[in-house]
Amino acid sequence: MNIDEAKIRRESLRWYLVLAAYNARPTEVVEDVIQQTMRSLYPDVSPLEVRKELDYLEDRAMVKLRKEPSGRWWVDVTRYGVDLAEYTIDCQPGIARPEKYW
């Protein structure tokens, strides 16, 4: 069996990004805080890697991104992101949400 570690990391990172935005509600969270949070989980995560996954989540309507002209990004969770984090909707492929066991 071949395990694609890059895929596991990418999809897990997306899940943690949704949770970070979810836990920041009801306000937006600045990218710097998101980066620090992701570095606590993956010490070698790069800012580009986080931005790629945030873009992916925006395409999936899980987060809204506000990109300032200065280059700073702000992240806000959408209702789909909230529903995903609260296990009220199915999780489609691409995000490694753990199975609900409770």
Side-chain angles (χ1 to χ4, degrees):
M1 181 172 191
N2 188 11
I3 298 175
D4 187 349
E5 291 184 19
K7 178 183 175 195
I8 293 170
R9 177 185 168 112
R10 185 174 58 244
E11 293 182 357
S12 295
L13 187 60
R14 291 172 186 160
W15 171 242
Y16 293 127
L17 288 168
V18 168
L19 288 181
Y22 173 78
N23 286 305
R25 290 182 314 148
T27 62
E28 298 175 310
V29 61
V30 69
E31 178 188 17
D32 299 340
V33 174
I34 295 279
Q35 293 280 356
Q36 290 175 355
T37 304
M38 294 306 113
R39 260 188 242 121
S40 70
L41 298 165
Y42 299 100
D44 61 338
V45 72
S46 70
L48 179 61
E49 186 178 5
V50 170
R51 282 189 169 190
K52 283 181 180 177
E53 302 316 326
L54 285 172
D55 268 332
Y56 174 87
L57 291 171
E58 185 179 42
D59 289 344
R60 297 266 310 260
M62 298 291 166
V63 298
K64 286 186 298 187
L65 299 177
R66 182 167 57 88
K67 301 174 182 176
E68 293 181 346
S70 65
R72 177 177 273 186
W73 288 17
W74 291 83
V75 181
D76 196 11
V77 69
T78 65
R79 72 176 202 80
Y80 294 113
V82 170
D83 288 342
L84 183 75
E86 294 180 348
Y87 288 80
T88 55
I89 61 172
D90 290 334
C91 184
Q92 300 298 314
I95 299 174
R97 181 177 72 176
E99 289 295 321
K100 186 175 183 179
Y101 60 87
W102 58 93

